[in-house]
Amino acid sequence: MNSSPVDDIPREESSKSNSWRRASTAGYFGAFIIFGLLTAALGPTLLRLAGNTGSDTSKISLIFTAQALGYLTGSLAGGRLFDRLPGHKLLAGVLLAIGILASFIPLISILWLLLAVFLLLGAMQGAIEVGSNTLLVWLYRDRVGPYMNALHFCFGIGAVLSPIIIARSVAASGNIVWVYWILAVSAIPIALWLMRLPSPKARSGSDQDQALKVNYLLVFLVAVLLFLYVGAEASYGGWVYTYAVNKFPALADASAALLTAAFWGALTIGRLISIPLAVRLKPGPFLVGD
């Protein structure tokens, strides 16, 4: 990443700067809860989205492809944008865009239009992940380990809550309109919270040159690990609801949604355990168990 600063933030350790760090961290955690809510919402609502658009399972599954393509695009573009623009304002704009897009999802009856919306949503998700991770690193520098694990734990919180909200909403209204509207409204206060905070600065060029000695083999291996892990996580989390409903016709929608919540809950417990471990273990032993 480039080394150009964004907003001017005092570097001295003071009560004011610590308060700013805590407030900024809360904003990133909130953004990742929204990220988790949005990610886990697709699986339990997939069949109803298919009904809204008159599509069968094979056609509606294109949503996963559209979302993934958008995510790749948002991740690549987000890295450049967060180098050049004030991070908090950019992240707030992404959250507001998610709110607008999510509010239209349950109202769309045309498949190609729904695919376009999920393409854009995927781009916003990629920008949230890249932006929140990057800003957190700029905020805490070498002490980022436990905060990074806590950030991804917040994703798990959102992912666990999402199927539960869906089960309650469907039981109360019989549709998924309120599911996506609740998600849309939830993004607004977090966006407003981040807008009022100055953004952290990137490292200076000299600091980056001294601090970063890239091990390209390690980068490649981590990329392969994430490719396999995230692919398995997204596929299972996205399809477990549909599989359960089709495999066990007597299973209620609420029970299938709670099965999805149980899956994300197990991952969230692992992320919670990783927070204290990140304080005590270096990344190498933490990954390989040495």
Side-chain angles (χ1 to χ4, degrees):
M1 286 191 175
N2 293 339
S3 58
S4 58
V6 282
D7 295 342
D8 188 17
I9 298 297
R11 293 187 177 183
E12 66 272 16
E13 292 293 333
S14 65
S15 176
K16 184 176 180 180
S17 62
N18 286 335
S19 176
W20 161 72
R21 283 192 178 91
R22 288 191 293 269
S24 298
T25 303
Y28 309 152
F29 286 0
F32 252 60
I33 290 175
I34 298 298
F35 181 24
L37 286 168
L38 182 61
T39 300
L42 178 55
T45 61
L46 187 67
L47 294 179
R48 283 181 167 77
L49 293 175
N52 289 350
T53 57
S55 306
D56 57 23
T57 304
S58 62
K59 290 181 179 179
I60 200 66
S61 65
L62 291 173
I63 284 179
F64 292 105
T65 303
Q67 189 177 42
L69 288 174
Y71 189 93
L72 288 172
T73 303
S75 298
L76 292 172
R80 294 180 178 274
L81 290 174
F82 279 95
D83 276 344
R84 291 164 170 76
L85 300 174
H88 285 175
K89 290 182 174 60
L90 181 56
L91 192 57
V94 169
L95 287 166
L96 291 175
I98 281 178
I100 294 170
L101 291 168
S103 66
F104 287 109
I105 288 175
L107 307 177
I108 295 175
S109 59
I110 303 172
L111 179 59
W112 69 263
L113 184 56
L114 188 64
L115 293 176
V117 168
F118 270 94
L119 179 71
L120 294 174
L121 267 178
M124 298 303 106
Q125 287 177 281
I128 280 184
E129 179 152 27
V130 168
S132 297
N133 280 284
T134 299
L135 293 170
L136 196 68
V137 170
W138 290 349
L139 198 64
Y140 289 102
R141 313 291 183 176
D142 297 333
R143 299 181 288 115
V144 73
Y147 299 99
M148 186 67 71
N149 282 282
L151 179 71
H152 289 268
F153 170 72
C154 290
F155 169 89
I157 292 176
V160 171
L161 290 176
S162 187
I164 296 173
I165 293 171
I166 291 167
R168 298 290 186 184
S169 177
V170 171
S173 64
N175 59 60
I176 59 171
V177 173
W178 282 103
V179 172
Y180 284 99
W181 286 3
I182 289 171
L183 194 155
V185 171
S186 299
I188 295 173
I190 301 168
L192 296 177
W193 176 265
L194 285 167
M195 279 183 181
R196 58 181 285 273
L197 297 171
S199 305
K201 296 173 65 175
R203 287 180 184 268
S204 67
S206 58
D207 287 344
Q208 285 185 329
D209 292 341
Q210 294 174 5
L212 296 180
K213 294 182 179 179
V214 179
N215 183 332
Y216 290 102
L217 175 60
L218 179 60
V219 171
F220 173 75
L221 292 175
V222 171
V224 171
L225 174 64
L226 290 175
F227 174 81
L228 297 173
Y229 162 71
V230 175
E233 176 191 90
S235 299
Y236 192 92
W239 283 107
V240 63
Y241 175 91
T242 302
Y243 171 81
V245 170
N246 290 335
K247 186 69 173 179
F248 308 101
L251 189 66
D253 286 354
S255 299
L258 293 177
L259 180 63
T260 307
F263 165 71
W264 291 110
L267 289 175
T268 303
I269 291 172
R271 289 171 177 177
L272 178 62
I273 294 171
S274 72
I275 296 173
L277 290 178
V279 178
R280 293 172 174 80
L281 297 177
K282 293 182 179 180
F286 188 74
L287 287 173
V288 301
D290 188 6

